[in-house]
Amino acid sequence: MARAATTTDAFNAVAEPRRRQILDLLMAGERPVGELAELLGLAQPQVSKHLRVLREVDLVRVRDEGRQRLYRVHAAPLQPLHAWLSRYEQAWNDRFDAMEDVLDDLASDSRPHAPLSGGRPDDQHTTEGES
């Protein structure tokens, strides 16, 4: 089966780690491609290719400011991805809750228990002057 083009939807676009890094950087605000390239340690043409893919699925918007093009995140196309992942989030939360219950049980089993008779006989003696 042929692989879908990376520009068909947000799922495919964010499958590439560098594109996720770009989105992470753009979450802080608008940035020009040169700044993105510098922060990522990539050549500007590589970053531009990733930005093109992100623009084609509408995850990134661009605006001109003088001679510069500033890129920013447009998060709305991530909604289907979020909806899909949220089903798994509940499963993970259930597993973490179950693990927490097991850890609580283990912790309570390992705590020292108070003696039933009020202590060992040698703990009940008093020294002179104590009452």
Side-chain angles (χ1 to χ4, degrees), residues 56-118:
E56 288 177 2
V57 296
D58 202 28
L59 285 172
V60 169
R61 300 263 171 102
V62 63
R63 73 177 178 89
D64 293 329
E65 185 172 285
R67 295 180 60 194
Q68 234 178 8
R69 300 185 82 194
L70 298 174
Y71 294 87
R72 68 184 180 282
V73 170
H74 178 239
L78 290 172
Q79 180 56 38
L81 185 65
H82 179 267
W84 181 73
L85 286 171
S86 66
R87 297 183 317 188
Y88 294 91
E89 180 181 14
Q90 184 58 51
W92 277 105
N93 286 337
D94 292 346
R95 287 182 180 187
F96 286 133
D97 289 345
M99 184 171 35
E100 185 175 7
D101 292 343
V102 168
L103 292 173
D104 287 345
D105 288 346
L106 290 172
S108 67
D109 288 347
S110 67
R111 287 189 200 122
H113 298 287
L116 297 176
S117 65

Side-chain angles (χ1 to χ4, degrees), residues 10-76:
F11 287 89
N12 286 321
V14 300
E16 210 290 321
R18 290 293 187 178
R19 289 195 279 271
R20 290 193 306 270
Q21 287 179 315
I22 290 170
L23 291 173
D24 289 344
L25 290 170
L26 293 176
M27 286 301 296
E30 291 182 321
R31 295 181 190 266
V33 66
E35 185 178 333
L36 291 169
E38 184 178 323
L39 291 168
L40 293 168
L42 297 174
Q44 187 170 334
Q46 288 176 297
V47 175
S48 293
K49 286 180 182 181
H50 289 302
L51 286 167
R52 179 185 51 78
V53 171
L54 293 170
R55 278 193 333 263
E56 288 177 2
V57 296
D58 202 28
L59 285 172
V60 169
R61 300 263 171 102
V62 63
R63 73 177 178 89
D64 293 329
E65 185 172 285
R67 295 180 60 194
Q68 234 178 8
R69 300 185 82 194
L70 298 174
Y71 294 87
R72 68 184 180 282
V73 170
H74 178 239

